[in-house]
Amino acid sequence: AIIMGVRKCGTRALLEMLYLHPMVQKAAGEVHFFDRDEHYNKGLEWYRMQMPHSYPGQITIEKSPSYFVTPEVPERIRAMNASVKLLLIVREPVTRAISDYTQLRANAATASPALPTPPPKSFEQLALFPNGSINEAYRPLAISLYHNYLHRWLEVFPKEQMLIVNGDLLIEDPVSQLQKIERFLGLEPRIETRRLIDVYEKLKGRKHPRVDPEVVSKLRRYFSEHNQKFYELVGEDLGWPEE
């Protein structure tokens, strides 16, 4: 099975939670086989070598979030294994975009700490133009338009082969989400709540900066139409706030 999503949706948390199941083995790190030509050109044997040893009946899972947004990936995965199970984890788009911004800012701060750099722009400055219109080209916003990417997958794989995992609910109510995933993967329910809490505590993300509530509302209104298109594609209303 392959876990994908958009960065900061919880792909790592999901992988670590599933790894608590005795019938699951996981690849170490993000393999990036299908989305990076320098890896893909090494061939399937190289990919196999990145996988852990597993017993018959165990499921091997890898996660690389950027598979979801990279155009070539659906066809490449189908060529490798047309019956692979796909887990797509998504979060409410505005929260995800702010989380993405937070990580990008933290990465920039640690990349060249010795060099003088201008003060980082706020999320509001990057997400909106000075005239107040939305900067649709700002990548943390652009990749939150999930329906733009899901179309490609549904042209290649039947909907039944893909499970949509609500990353917000995975945080709030991990047990119900994981039971749904266990059923989808054909696994007996074996993940214990107590051990889930341990994983969650280890994987808590960075604290978000405060973002002007007016900007959050404006962005949620912008995303509401796009979210509806995504709900129609997946056949489920995820109930994300519309303002």
Side-chain angles (χ1 to χ4, degrees), residues 13-24 61 170 174-183 185 187-199:
L14 177 56
L15 182 65
E16 295 298 334
M17 288 175 180
L18 287 175
Y19 187 50
L20 295 173
H21 198 292
M23 295 307 286
V24 168
I61 301 182
L170 188 69
V175 176
S176 70
Q177 290 298 294
L178 285 161
Q179 286 172 345
K180 190 164 79 168
I181 296 163
E182 285 171 325
R183 286 194 297 273
L185 295 175
L187 295 168
E188 285 181 34
R190 294 282 294 277
I191 298 174
E192 298 170 17
T193 309
R194 177 179 52 78
R195 295 179 71 198
L196 273 179
I197 293 165
D198 293 342
V199 168

Side-chain angles (χ1 to χ4, degrees), residues 120-136:
K121 287 189 174 180
S122 68
F123 176 76
E124 293 90 333
Q125 287 172 308
L126 293 164
L128 300 181
F129 290 116
N131 67 3
S133 62
I134 290 165
N135 179 4
E136 296 181 34

Side-chain angles (χ1 to χ4, degrees), residues 30-75:
E30 293 180 2
V31 181
H32 288 290
F33 177 64
F34 298 101
D35 62 335
R36 291 189 183 164
D37 289 345
E38 69 269 27
H39 291 166
Y40 191 70
N41 292 336
K42 292 176 183 174
L44 273 175
E45 198 49 43
W46 181 88
Y47 183 57
R48 192 189 300 272
M49 296 299 289
Q50 312 311 306
M51 296 298 131
H53 295 292
S54 59
Y55 292 106
Q58 284 188 313
I59 294 177
T60 301
I61 301 182
E62 72 122 326
K63 72 102 175 172
S64 297
S66 48
Y67 285 169
F68 180 58
V69 299
T70 307
E72 306 80 13
V73 170
E75 289 286 1

Side-chain angles (χ1 to χ4, degrees), residues 206-236:
R206 294 179 182 86
K207 192 172 187 307
H208 288 183
R210 183 189 178 278
V211 174
D212 181 343
E214 294 279 326
V215 173
V216 171
S217 292
K218 183 172 196 163
L219 288 170
R220 284 185 169 155
R221 287 194 294 274
Y222 164 72
F223 275 109
S224 65
E225 180 190 336
H226 297 285
N227 293 342
Q228 288 299 329
K229 289 178 180 175
F230 181 67
Y231 299 163
E232 284 165 24
L233 286 177
V234 300
E236 180 185 359

Side-chain angles (χ1 to χ4, degrees), residues 77-95:
I77 290 180
R78 182 171 67 175
M80 184 266 302
N81 179 355
S83 63
V84 69
K85 296 275 181 86
L86 301 165
L87 296 166
L88 170 63
I89 183 164
V90 289
R91 289 183 71 195
E92 190 275 310
V94 181
T95 307

